[in-house]
Amino acid sequence: METDANKEHIERETLQLVLEEFAQEQKTNNQHIETLIIAINNIGNKIDVSIKEHKPGKIVLEPLDIKPIEAILQKSFLDIKFMIGRQPKSIIRKFQILLFPEQDAKLFYKIVFGRWFLWLAIMMALNNLYSWGIHYSDNSKEIEMREIQNNRIRKAWEYMYISSDKETKKLMKKAYEIR
């Protein structure tokens, strides 16, 4: 309850300050408008006087002093620009998922095709080299295992051939040749 009351009090104070500020700006604008009206009335009076004094054969040009009016107008235009500039601006929030950039597309494609494809090619080459190395290692291990197994069988046959009699030798020789 207290926080709501505090918030309302703060909002009232800020609203009051804003309204007072707008009232002061309105007063200054009214003063500028009044000075403009007075200056225009003075110029109008001077024009009326010059028309009355003007005679058809006599041309008298009286220089009019427009500089105060220009100064007042410039000051009031600056005040109006200042008030417009101080107004809150709307915030636009965008949420986008972009596959390609909106700006600097050439730079993006240069980076993508120049660097990424190079790294992709290097990674694929390393991957294939690694796979080939593993395959070569597995094949060499399998060859060594078969050589060991064949050497064991050959040694067993040689041992039997040396230690057995002649008939066994002949049978062994035939079996070895068939194989």
Side-chain angles (χ1 to χ4, degrees):
M1 283 295 214
E2 292 177 11
T3 57
D4 292 338
N6 286 340
K7 286 181 182 178
E8 288 178 14
H9 181 67
I10 291 171
E11 287 178 2
R12 285 181 190 162
E13 287 180 358
T14 55
L15 187 59
Q16 185 177 6
L17 289 173
V18 169
L19 289 175
E20 287 175 4
E21 187 176 324
F22 279 132
Q24 289 176 356
E25 288 178 6
Q26 188 66 34
K27 285 179 185 177
T28 58
N29 286 339
N30 288 339
Q31 289 174 355
H32 291 304
I33 290 171
E34 288 174 6
T35 55
L36 278 174
I37 291 172
I38 292 170
I40 290 172
N41 287 336
N42 287 338
I43 290 174
N45 291 337
K46 286 182 182 180
I47 290 173
D48 290 339
V49 169
S50 67
I51 289 174
K52 288 179 185 176
E53 291 178 358
H54 181 62
K55 295 181 182 175
K58 194 177 186 186
I59 299 176
V60 177
L61 294 177
E62 223 176 276
L64 297 175
D65 190 19
I66 305 176
K67 294 198 182 219
I69 296 172
E70 287 179 355
I72 292 169
L73 285 174
Q74 285 179 352
K75 186 176 180 185
S76 59
F77 282 138
L78 287 175
D79 288 341
I80 291 170
K81 284 181 183 178
F82 181 70
M83 285 189 312
I84 290 172
R86 284 187 29 209
Q87 289 181 351
K89 298 190 177 34
S90 62
I91 297 173
I92 298 172
R93 294 183 180 181
K94 282 173 50 173
F95 179 74
Q96 292 180 334
I97 298 175
L98 298 174
L99 298 177
F100 301 102
E102 290 180 1
Q103 300 156 349
D104 293 332
K106 274 189 173 180
L107 178 66
F108 175 76
Y109 291 123
K110 183 178 180 182
I111 290 171
V112 169
F113 293 121
R115 295 182 188 161
W116 289 5
F117 281 138
L118 176 66
W119 284 109
L120 183 65
I122 290 171
M123 293 303 290
M124 288 179 64
L126 289 175
N127 188 21
N128 289 339
L129 183 65
Y130 177 74
S131 298
W132 179 79
I134 289 176
H135 182 69
Y136 180 76
S137 174
D138 289 344
N139 285 345
S140 63
K141 283 182 185 177
E142 189 174 336
I143 289 170
E144 286 180 22
M145 291 297 289
R146 286 190 182 177
E147 284 181 356
I148 290 171
Q149 189 178 10
N150 286 342
N151 284 340
R152 191 180 318 150
I153 292 171
R154 192 171 8 110
K155 285 180 183 178
W157 278 103
E158 288 175 0
Y159 177 74
M160 283 178 62
Y161 183 72
I162 294 170
S163 63
S164 66
D165 59 354
K166 289 186 178 184
E167 281 186 36
T168 338
K169 286 182 186 179
K170 288 180 186 178
L171 288 172
M172 297 276 256
K173 194 174 187 181
K174 285 182 184 180
Y176 187 72
E177 289 174 0
I178 294 174
R179 190 168 190 221

